[in-house]
Amino acid sequence: MTATPIRVAIDSSGLHATAQVLDGPQPSVDLRGADNDALMTAVFEHANAQARATGTTVTLEIDAGPETAPVRVEVDPDQSVRTVATGLSEHREPATTGMGTAATRPASRPSSVVRVPGDAPPPDPEPPPHEAPRRRFDSEDSDRRPATRQPRPTSEHYSPHHDTIGTAPQASAASLRGVVPTGPARRGMRGRLNAALGLKLTASVDEQGVRAAESTISGPVPDRAVVSVINVKGGVGKTPLSLALASQMATHRGPGTVAAVDLGESNNSFADRIVTPGHPNYGTVGLLDLHENTGGAITSAMLSRYLTRQPSGEDVLIGRDDVGFDLGFDDADALATLLSHFRDLLVVDTGNGENAGRWQWAVATAQVVLIPVPLRADVVAVARRMIGRIAARRPHGLAGVMVIITDGPGDTPDIEADQIEQLTRGDGIEVVLRMPYEPVFASGQPITSASLALPTRDALTRLGAHVITALTGPRTT
């Protein structure tokens, strides 16, 4: 008997769905749940009720929006549920993938079978399931929190026609290490189906890319690994990027492995953007004094008074609000040498003074330099001039230098293609990445990984993977 086709459209909140029988005059049905799992349970309870009422298999096509490919499952009157590889042939063409058109598979060859909770007796044992051809999901649902504007993707090796990092094979962190983690999906539509129904749908390409990036971040780094975030233009997001990157790196490397260091000018916003405040007497200047007074014989317990642990596991070393004191080149170098004995990775926030010794140290000695550049004509122009001077200060030129295009209020995307082309080809920057718009960055609130939107965390994870790869690359030694 022909299966009953039902299309289920889930709205952006993930808490409401509309179910419509495609063959027949039945009105649409509104389904709701307190969370994603509850909604998916309501969807399958509705499908099972339809299957029992009609005595036929119900074919569900679940659509969570334009950025997520539909998921198709079949629900039998006995409450068996199985995923299928193809859609409703009488209503839609077979889905295409990166390898061409997906092959059709009879409904009698499910890719997985589970049970929906209920009173019906279990069905006869099924034969071993056959795995359906995997389709590439271009992108999974990201964060369900409301946002004032849509996040923009992150990109590597910028191209006006391809600006997403992680969705293309050459841009994914998996290609950096040659490992593509697999396993059941934990996020997006596939993750919700797995959680609600006990399925084992494979993670999407995008989710696999994030997992690969996480694996890369957790890998080894060289001694005295330093990442500097610089720009001579103020208000471009150096501090938010520094703290957010340190937070995300510590999330995957573990507590006590990453330190964010304030080498900015006095009265900057670094101390205002951390969750757990540091004591004003235990900052960069105090640590330098301790280093001098002890002859460098500093223990981990002594250092713990100066490093303040944040919720994500990173430590921060705040600066000093003293306009009469300025850290020089040697001061910054001594701090980095000391901290590197106790932490794997230093993420250094800098100020705007290009002539300051600490700024010059951050440019000349860091293996990786990140330059946040909002899409504003004046900022791009300043960055281009600064990049030329950076190349002359670094022993390996622009190797390890990455431009991070940030998306914020007042940006002008229309200038992007031409300006970025100048950065990548004219100025010799090899890697250009994009950070999505992040409300916490723009609001001035304290920053920790848990406070950031999922697209931002994913972008930071992929950025972190590129940082680790650059740190361990042959040109950054």
Side-chain angles (χ1 to χ4, degrees):
M1 185 177 294
T2 304
T4 301
I6 298 179
R7 182 167 296 160
V8 177
I10 299 176
D11 69 8
S12 59
S13 71
L15 305 178
H16 174 258
T18 301
Q20 177 67 58
V21 177
L22 299 182
D23 291 339
Q26 296 95 326
S28 61
V29 177
D30 287 338
L31 303 171
R32 296 182 182 274
D35 53 31
N36 289 331
D37 289 350
L39 177 63
M40 295 311 301
T41 299
V43 167
F44 282 92
E45 286 178 347
H46 172 71
N48 185 249
Q50 288 286 326
R52 291 197 307 268
T54 60
T56 64
T57 295
V58 168
T59 302
L60 285 180
E61 180 176 304
I62 305 174
D63 186 358
E67 296 184 355
T68 302
V71 174
R72 297 174 180 86
V73 296
E74 291 182 345
V75 181
D76 293 331
D78 64 4
Q79 297 187 342
S80 295
V81 179
R82 56 184 168 271
T83 59
V84 294
T86 59
L88 312 180
S89 58
E90 61 269 35
H91 296 280
R92 180 174 294 193
E93 292 296 323
T96 58
T97 71
M99 299 298 292
T101 303
T104 58
R105 180 176 297 277
S108 61
R109 301 180 65 186
S111 60
S112 57
V113 177
V114 298
R115 295 281 301 163
V116 176
D119 298 328
D124 293 333
E126 293 276 349
H130 297 271
E131 186 175 14
R134 292 191 177 92
R135 287 199 305 123
R136 170 173 172 169
F137 277 34
D138 290 334
S139 63
E140 290 283 2
D141 296 341
S142 52
D143 204 3
R144 288 298 182 182
R145 74 184 70 195
T148 56
R149 57 189 294 177
Q150 293 295 321
R152 299 168 68 102
T154 310
S155 65
E156 179 199 14
H157 301 296
Y158 177 84
S159 167
H161 303 293
H162 178 258
D163 63 352
T164 55
I165 178 174
T167 57
Q170 68 271 22
S172 69
S175 65
L176 302 176
R177 294 294 183 189
V179 177
V180 180
T182 58
R186 296 191 294 267
R187 58 167 64 179
M189 176 59 68
R190 292 181 172 203
R192 289 197 295 276
L193 285 170
N194 288 346
L197 301 171
L199 300 178
K200 294 184 179 180
L201 299 176
T202 304
S204 68
V205 172
D206 189 55
E207 184 175 352
Q208 290 182 30
V210 173
R211 292 183 188 179
E214 294 171 356
S215 176
T216 300
I217 289 177
S218 65
V221 294
D223 293 338
R224 211 171 184 270
V226 177
V227 178
S228 296
V229 182
I230 69 167
N231 198 317
V232 294
K233 185 79 170 175
V236 298
K238 294 188 295 292
T239 298
L241 180 61
S242 301
L243 292 173
L245 178 61
S247 178
Q248 197 67 9
M249 298 284 269
T251 297
H252 300 302
R253 291 189 66 84
T257 60
V258 180
V261 183
D262 178 12
L263 290 187
E265 288 91 0
S266 300
N267 297 310
N268 61 43
S269 64
F270 186 96
D272 301 316
R273 304 305 298 268
I274 59 178
V275 175
T276 305
H279 193 284
N281 293 334
Y282 294 98
T284 52
V285 177
L287 185 55
L288 282 172
D289 290 342
L290 178 66
H291 182 269
E292 181 178 353
N293 294 336
T294 61
I298 295 179
T299 65
S300 179
M302 297 165 65
L303 181 64
S304 66
R305 300 165 63 189
Y306 295 84
L307 295 181
T308 306
R309 179 64 50 84
Q310 300 301 303
S312 301
E314 76 279 14
D315 296 306
V316 298
L317 176 64
I318 62 174
R320 177 176 175 178
D321 289 336
D322 185 351
V323 295
F325 183 87
D326 188 26
L327 292 176
F329 190 105
D330 292 339
D331 295 326
D333 196 64
L335 279 174
T337 300
L338 170 60
L339 292 172
S340 294
H341 286 307
F342 299 92
R343 297 296 181 268
D344 296 343
L345 177 66
L346 308 181
V347 180
V348 176
D349 184 25
T350 63
N352 309 327
E354 190 170 354
N355 293 325
R358 51 185 163 182
W359 193 94
Q360 296 178 9
W361 172 87
V363 169
T365 63
Q367 297 98 322
V368 176
V369 171
L370 306 180
I371 306 175
V373 180
L375 290 177
R376 302 198 301 268
D378 60 333
V379 177
V380 175
V382 169
R384 289 202 64 208
R385 294 193 294 269
M386 181 187 66
I387 286 169
R389 297 190 294 271
I390 287 175
R393 292 183 183 275
R394 291 175 55 79
H396 300 284
L398 293 178
V401 177
M402 306 178 192
V403 168
I404 315 300
I405 302 299
T406 61
D407 185 7
D411 290 359
T412 309
D414 292 344
I415 73 171
E416 179 174 2
D418 180 55
Q419 298 286 357
I420 300 305
E421 185 74 10
Q422 294 178 13
L423 287 173
T424 54
R425 293 188 179 179
D427 295 336
I429 296 292
E430 295 184 356
V431 179
V432 177
L433 308 170
R434 180 185 293 284
M435 285 294 301
Y437 174 76
E438 172 51 56
V440 174
F441 285 5
S443 69
Q445 297 174 343
I447 294 170
T448 185
S449 177
S451 69
L452 304 175
L454 181 58
T456 303
R457 297 199 301 270
D458 285 352
L460 289 167
T461 299
R462 293 185 174 108
L463 170 59
H466 283 275
V467 166
I468 297 298
T469 301
L471 286 169
T472 56
R475 293 181 301 174
T476 59
T477 56

